[in-house]
Amino acid sequence: MELVSQSQSFGGTQSVYRHKSEVCAAEMTFGIYLPPAARVRPVPLLWYLSGLTCTHENAMIKAGLQKYAAEHDIAVVFPDTSPRGEGVADDQAYDLGQGAGFYVNATQKPWSRHFRMYDYVVSELPALLQKELPLNGVHGITGHSMGGHGALTIAFRNPEKFRSLSAFAPIVNPTRSDWGRKQFSAYLGDDEAHWTKHDACLLLADLGWNGDILIDQGSSDQFLEQLRPEAMARLMAEKRQPGVLRMQAGYDHSYYFVASFAEDHVRWHAERLKAA
């Protein structure tokens, strides 16, 4: 890991690192916040997966998670949303290619060489962080929009790796959304059978979740038709899935929304991670 920058924040440290990813065959960048408690003991880790067009910086700078992470003695990691750089496939559209990895392992050219964000988040980056930083191996996961999709699908498929789960305005049913069908077709091919393991609603119906879930969604979100929160709400009721999906009156899709409920989410994770 190459240290790019480091700043003190709420008594802890906000760092940015660069490293060579074998999984993505590219240089990857991530941010990580270590609370003051990490100086004296290993701490739990909360994953924050970002949305379309974001890098590691957006949530690191705008979500305001550090203050609450310091109060609750948990670390927060902010991975990038896709591989980047010369030779990495891209598209002129904002919702495909660099900045739009959708947390899948692409199987179709030209994406398959680099776009393996599922393996990066589930396997490669956790192993690197555990080796290099004072972490206790207990993980929670959250995310916003495309990152909320990633958090839900990754947690549902890997319950042994994640003890707590939440999401901000997630894309919950991408096989029925333009934010999903377009990208899955490009990354995974036209056989929709290969898409199902990346759809949170389909995975919850099939696999369930062994904990509870917190989802916040703004009622004035300009992308509600793409996000389809009603599909997840119906499914949680039908499955009697513990958790809550809160429609927050007047909030849109921006980081003002995320920052407004960041404290709730960090506390939610801290309570579950410390009890693990």
Side-chain angles (χ1 to χ4, degrees):
M1 293 178 4
E2 175 191 352
L3 181 63
V4 176
S5 67
Q6 190 170 82
S7 300
Q8 183 162 301
S9 178
F10 298 100
T13 54
Q14 176 62 66
S15 304
V16 175
Y17 289 96
R18 213 168 18 227
H19 74 108
K20 178 66 175 178
S21 167
E22 293 184 8
V23 165
C24 295
E27 191 171 69
M28 298 293 287
T29 304
F30 65 89
I32 186 158
Y33 178 74
L34 293 176
R39 296 193 184 100
V40 295
R41 66 180 186 275
V43 295
L45 177 64
L46 175 61
W47 291 75
Y48 183 99
L49 304 185
S50 293
L52 286 167
T53 75
C54 292
T55 70
H56 67 282
E57 283 192 318
N58 296 71
M60 188 180 82
I61 294 171
K62 297 178 181 180
L65 297 172
Q66 291 89 342
K67 179 177 187 293
Y68 312 116
E71 292 174 358
H72 292 284
D73 299 339
I74 63 174
V76 186
V77 63
F78 306 92
D80 204 344
T81 53
S82 77
R84 301 176 190 272
E86 186 177 351
V88 176
D90 200 7
D91 191 272
Q92 291 184 343
Y94 76 94
D95 57 356
L96 187 68
Q98 295 186 33
F102 265 78
Y103 305 100
V104 304
N105 288 338
T107 59
Q108 306 299 302
K109 293 181 178 180
W111 313 105
S112 55
R113 181 183 176 194
H114 298 286
F115 282 69
R116 302 187 61 81
M117 289 302 295
Y118 178 87
D119 281 352
Y120 180 70
V121 169
V122 171
S123 300
E124 186 180 41
L125 187 54
L128 178 64
L129 298 178
Q130 191 63 42
K131 177 182 177 183
E132 300 290 341
L133 298 172
L135 304 172
N136 68 7
V138 180
H139 295 205
I141 191 166
T142 189
H144 174 227
S145 193
M146 178 186 72
H149 140 78
L152 293 170
T153 56
I154 286 171
F156 292 159
R157 293 176 61 186
N158 299 275
E160 75 286 355
K161 293 180 180 289
F162 298 97
R163 303 286 185 89
S164 59
L165 173 60
S166 76
F168 300 86
I171 306 169
V172 299
N173 195 196
T175 61
R176 295 294 176 265
S177 167
D178 289 343
W179 277 356
R181 296 189 64 82
K182 171 184 177 179
Q183 294 80 6
F184 290 175
S185 179
Y187 295 146
L188 304 174
D190 293 331
D191 184 351
E192 296 188 20
H194 297 309
W195 302 1
T196 58
K197 61 183 179 180
H198 299 290
D199 185 300
C201 284
L202 299 179
L203 287 170
L204 183 60
D206 183 36
L207 301 176
W209 172 247
N210 58 5
D212 47 4
I213 307 168
L214 172 62
I215 298 175
D216 275 311
Q217 172 62 64
S219 68
S220 297
D221 193 313
Q222 57 271 46
F223 303 113
L224 280 174
E225 292 301 315
Q226 303 279 25
L227 305 174
R228 295 178 54 81
E230 67 281 357
M232 179 59 74
R234 284 195 301 266
L235 183 60
M236 289 176 68
E238 292 169 3
K239 295 282 290 184
R240 300 178 181 176
Q241 169 62 49
V244 59
L245 192 158
R246 308 188 300 192
M247 294 297 295
Q248 301 290 2
Y251 285 90
D252 60 15
H253 199 68
S254 70
Y255 267 98
Y256 296 111
F257 157 68
V258 175
S260 296
F261 300 100
E263 182 177 9
D264 288 358
H265 284 249
V266 172
R267 186 189 308 113
W268 171 277
H269 287 278
E271 290 171 353
R272 288 149 183 80
L273 295 176
K274 291 178 181 178

